[in-house]
Amino acid sequence: MDNEKHNVNAYFQDEENIEEFEEYSADEEELHAEAEDLDGAYDEFGGDEYPEDILGPDPETDEPRIEIIVDPLISKAYAASEFLRGVMLRMGLSGRIATTIRHGAIYLEITGAEPGLVIGHRGQNLDALQHLVNRMVNKQSQDIVSVTVDSDEYRSRRHNQLEQMVRTIANEVMGNGVPVVTEPLTPSERRLFHIAADQLKGVHTESFGSGFFQPIKVSSAGVHPREAAHYRSHEYRNPYSRDDH
Amino acid sequence: MKDLVEAIVKSIVDHPDQVVVNEVSGEMTTIIELRVAPADMGKVIGRQGRTAKAIRTILNAAGMRASRRMEFEIVNAAEDYE
């Protein structure tokens, strides 16, 4: 420190250097003035107002205020459950609707209402409710979100039932080679059926007919039962399977 | 039953203010008549009549609970002027 002070003193002792220093201070004053101008500009811009992304208190009452922004999916899920609630109440049903969002899709699970009435024959009432909720949620929006309505785990029970059906029919078909036709199934049921059948090598499944409900014809893929058993074993990998990669 | 159909239809159409529902109750059967803006006819009927069918299914389920037979009809607004 002492050394530095000494240097500074030496600096001022030189007259030329003093002149230079005075010039420098003049520059600094100009700079300072400029900075003050900027401050003024900032005050004009800022003042009592807040930058765009901060709302600030209510200009009239000076009450603090908070804006809440919610993912559109959450508000859609809420609207869907409110709609389903309104429909169920007007059907004279009491119960509970659990609303969840899984993998970008909305799930409404009804419990505690009369399951027989909510689900209906082969899930037709449940499918009708689901269709109407989907129409309501996707009424005027560009991004279509899928809503699943379930009651007392009907969907997963039906899924297990379809998989069991695939196994039973596949065994029968591969045993005697005679094709079997299923009961008429809805599009989503057919999808689950085909997926389950694809995993059992050795059967060929095909929907036929037209309309909403279509039966599926299950036939042998043209292999000997023993060969089919080999295809079903873990040693075999289907070279044409699309889910290998 | 009338408010059930009204609640469903008003939520799925573009002109909820033009939704008119009439209920005619007989001894055993209730007939629900629905009128909507011509532009909303497609929305109420749906692809291959799926939406109309879904409304009918829900109505039948609600009717079963009240032990009534339900009939659902969508009235074409153009027919009213004939």
Side-chain angles (χ1 to χ4, degrees), chain A residues 120-178:
Chain A
H121 178 62
R122 284 211 188 129
Q124 63 169 7
N125 296 359
L126 204 55
D127 284 339
L129 286 172
Q130 181 172 304
H131 177 77
L132 293 174
V133 174
N134 271 284
R135 287 287 79 73
M136 181 261 157
V137 169
N138 297 312
K139 189 169 73 171
Q140 70 261 74
S141 98
Q142 306 278 314
D143 329 305
I144 286 169
V145 49
S146 122
V147 187
T148 305
V149 180
D150 198 355
S151 172
D152 302 86
E153 288 172 2
Y154 173 78
R155 304 265 179 224
S156 61
R157 276 190 286 131
R158 184 68 179 150
H159 189 178
N160 292 339
Q161 200 183 345
L162 284 167
E163 283 182 336
Q164 183 57 49
M165 197 157 89
V166 168
R167 280 194 293 271
T168 314
I169 293 175
N171 275 337
E172 195 184 321
V173 168
M174 284 188 282
N176 60 18
V178 180

Side-chain angles (χ1 to χ4, degrees), chain B residues 41-62:
Chain B
M41 282 299 270
K43 289 221 160 175
V44 175
I45 295 167
R47 216 174 288 164
Q48 298 198 335
R50 247 188 109 180
T51 306
K53 208 172 155 189
I55 296 173
R56 201 163 281 143
T57 305
I58 296 304
L59 205 51
N60 282 335

Side-chain angles (χ1 to χ4, degrees), chain A residues 28-46:
Chain A
E28 202 182 38
E29 261 169 40
E30 266 174 43
L31 279 173
H32 193 69
E34 262 178 47
E36 265 181 357
D37 279 355
L38 282 175
D39 273 353
Y42 181 78
D43 282 341
E44 263 172 47
F45 176 74

Side-chain angles (χ1 to χ4, degrees), chain A residues 83 86-88 90-93 114 117 124-125 127-129 131-132 135-136 139-140 211-213, chain B residues 1 3-4 7-8 10-14 16 43 48 50-51 53-55 57-58 61-62 64-65:
Chain A
F83 171 73
V87 172
M88 284 176 64
R90 287 174 178 84
M91 288 171 80
L93 294 168
E114 295 166 43
L117 191 74
Q124 63 169 7
N125 296 359
D127 284 339
L129 286 172
H131 177 77
L132 293 174
R135 287 287 79 73
M136 181 261 157
K139 189 169 73 171
Q140 70 261 74
F212 190 70
F213 291 96
Chain B
M1 295 303 156
D3 52 340
L4 172 64
I8 294 172
K10 281 190 173 173
S11 314
I12 60 175
V13 296
D14 292 329
K43 289 221 160 175
Q48 298 198 335
R50 247 188 109 180
T51 306
K53 208 172 155 189
I55 296 173
T57 305
I58 296 304
M64 211 157 73
R65 211 165 176 280

